[in-house]
Amino acid sequence: MAFSPFCRSSWMRRESASVDREEAELIKAVRAGDTAAFEPLVRKHQARIFGIARRYARRESEVEDIVQEVFLKAYRKLHTYHGEAPFEHWLSRIAVRTCYDYLRAHQRNREYCFAELSEREEDWLNRATADPGSAREDEEAAKALVQKLLNMLPPQARMVVTLLDIERRSVKEISELTGWSPSLVKVRAFRARAAMRRLLKRISCDKYL
Amino acid sequence: MNAREIEKKLIEAARRIPADERVPYRFERRVMARIQEAGRNEAGTAWAVLWWRTAVSSLALSLLLAFFSLATRSPAQSSSGTSLAEQFESTMYAAIDDWNGSW
């Protein structure tokens, strides 16, 4: 039997409401002192938090540390969650802020060396410089190159480029996630894009001079 | 070089990278163990803080009382041997003194 769009949406609403209720009960139990009730919440949301953390940290051990820290913070701050927004959003906010703290703590380790570009990355850059339209091939090289560029950006710039340009979140969403005002997000986005272009120019200068 | 154009291409490439949501085996168990460990440490820390505060406030109170008893001790009292400290002591031990007297 095929679901009509109306049936499907109402079924989804019911399903989501029951999930929310279950989640709310678990949160209530944790607040009442039942630590074990936190485990299903971790199991449910950990994949998403790993996805967020892997955008900012490269080493798997660092990613795991970040995710662990996120859940530890969530457990400690659970009394501040009042259920106005879905639990997942609240958790994502903690994750983004923890990742930002991680970036700030590790900003001295950022790479400034462009000599480490692989042959494929250089090749991609050469083709993109000569004819930007032809740079579609060798996606892997482009991905590696953008990862290197992001590693070279300051924490604020990396955060805003990732959230705004790569994850395509709105300014309002970023403002809620990071705690920055919308105008600050816009200013930081403008500066981040300029920093990224400067880095690209530096790469080309290093290469051709 | 058109940096803006290349930046656009790079961002497009980055968008095509799917979020890597792999989770290590039984990661939730690790998180729970960490939470329980942190809870135990926090309980220990809370006790240590409580004991430390009690010790500090007791010391401050005893110093304050010593200072007060010395400050309120007049020369006449000191000669007659009825300082505040002595009065306090005799009040505290009054019951025992009476009990000793009843033997």
Side-chain angles (χ1 to χ4, degrees):
Chain A
M1 189 188 102
F3 281 109
S4 74
F6 173 76
C7 285
R8 193 181 297 168
S9 72
S10 66
W11 174 79
M12 280 167 74
R13 260 203 307 275
R14 269 204 306 276
E15 185 75 358
S16 143
S18 82
V19 166
D20 288 350
R21 221 177 11 251
E22 195 182 309
E23 209 167 69
E25 274 162 22
L26 287 170
I27 292 166
K28 207 172 152 189
V30 178
R31 276 183 182 160
D34 179 9
T35 311
F38 195 64
E39 193 174 329
L41 291 171
V42 176
R43 210 178 302 129
K44 187 182 170 194
H45 297 286
Q46 58 188 354
R48 188 177 164 79
I49 305 301
F50 264 98
I52 294 174
R54 285 203 182 97
R55 292 241 186 235
Y56 303 97
R58 279 186 304 166
R59 285 195 209 108
E60 206 48 32
S61 62
E62 290 170 343
V63 172
E64 287 175 16
D65 284 350
I66 291 173
V67 177
Q68 200 167 280
E69 184 66 24
V70 169
F71 283 112
L72 204 61
K73 277 186 189 171
Y75 179 77
R76 283 184 183 144
K77 292 181 179 174
L78 204 60
H79 64 277
T80 65
Y81 175 68
H82 302 300
E84 291 118 357
F87 183 66
E88 194 180 352
H89 292 187
W90 183 77
L91 207 56
S92 299
R93 202 174 334 165
I94 295 178
V96 166
R97 289 178 190 188
T98 307
C99 289
Y100 182 58
D101 290 343
Y102 162 82
L103 287 177
R104 283 191 352 161
H106 292 78
Q107 62 177 327
R108 280 170 193 276
N109 301 341
R110 273 186 288 131
E111 299 161 53
Y112 285 99
C113 181
F114 298 117
E116 285 174 24
L117 288 188
S118 71
E119 207 174 306
R120 280 174 75 188
E121 288 157 20
E122 272 194 41
D123 210 42
W124 187 93
L125 207 58
N126 284 339
R127 267 186 290 120
T129 311
D131 176 17
S134 72
R136 186 65 196 256
E137 307 103 50
D138 204 356
E139 192 96 318
E140 286 306 311
K143 286 173 187 173
L145 191 60
V146 79
Q147 204 57 48
K148 278 186 183 165
L149 271 173
L150 287 173
N151 285 341
M152 284 184 259
L153 287 174
Q156 295 158 352
R158 182 175 179 166
M159 183 60 73
V160 83
V161 165
T162 306
L163 294 172
L164 192 70
D165 293 332
I166 299 175
E167 290 183 13
R168 285 174 150 170
R169 290 178 190 264
S170 69
V171 170
K172 192 174 167 240
E173 265 182 289
I174 299 170
S175 169
E176 279 166 11
L177 283 168
T178 56
W180 304 337
S181 68
S183 50
L184 187 62
V185 173
K186 285 178 196 165
V187 168
R188 285 187 170 164
F190 177 78
R191 286 184 190 152
R193 283 171 188 150
M196 209 154 161
R197 281 196 288 275
R198 262 199 313 276
L199 278 173
L200 277 168
K201 277 182 184 155
R202 240 174 84 190
I203 293 177
S204 63
C205 286
D206 280 10
K207 246 163 52 62
Y208 297 117
L209 289 180
Chain B
M1 181 179 86
N2 188 350
R4 202 179 287 267
E5 195 67 34
I6 293 175
E7 183 205 349
K8 218 172 110 186
K9 295 263 167 237
L10 286 171
I11 295 290
E12 276 170 18
R15 270 184 206 146
R16 286 190 286 272
I17 305 174
D20 184 356
E21 297 190 344
R22 282 174 298 121
V23 177
Y25 179 65
R26 301 194 96 176
F27 186 77
E28 67 276 7
R29 285 295 172 93
R30 208 187 307 174
V31 172
M32 292 313 291
R34 181 81 183 82
I35 285 172
Q36 269 150 11
E37 187 192 323
R40 273 197 297 275
N41 289 345
E42 273 166 20
T45 311
W47 268 109
V49 168
L50 191 71
W51 281 114
W52 179 243
R53 280 183 188 165
T54 313
V56 169
S57 51
S58 302
L59 185 71
L61 188 68
S62 59
L63 284 173
L64 194 73
L65 282 172
F67 176 75
F68 183 69
S69 75
L70 284 174
T72 54
R73 190 175 185 178
S74 66
Q77 274 179 332
S78 60
S79 61
S80 65
T82 53
S83 68
L84 181 71
E86 281 161 338
Q87 284 172 13
F88 179 71
E89 193 181 319
S90 61
T91 309
M92 287 298 288
Y93 289 114
I96 299 174
D97 285 345
D98 290 348
W99 182 66
N100 280 336
S102 69
W103 270 95

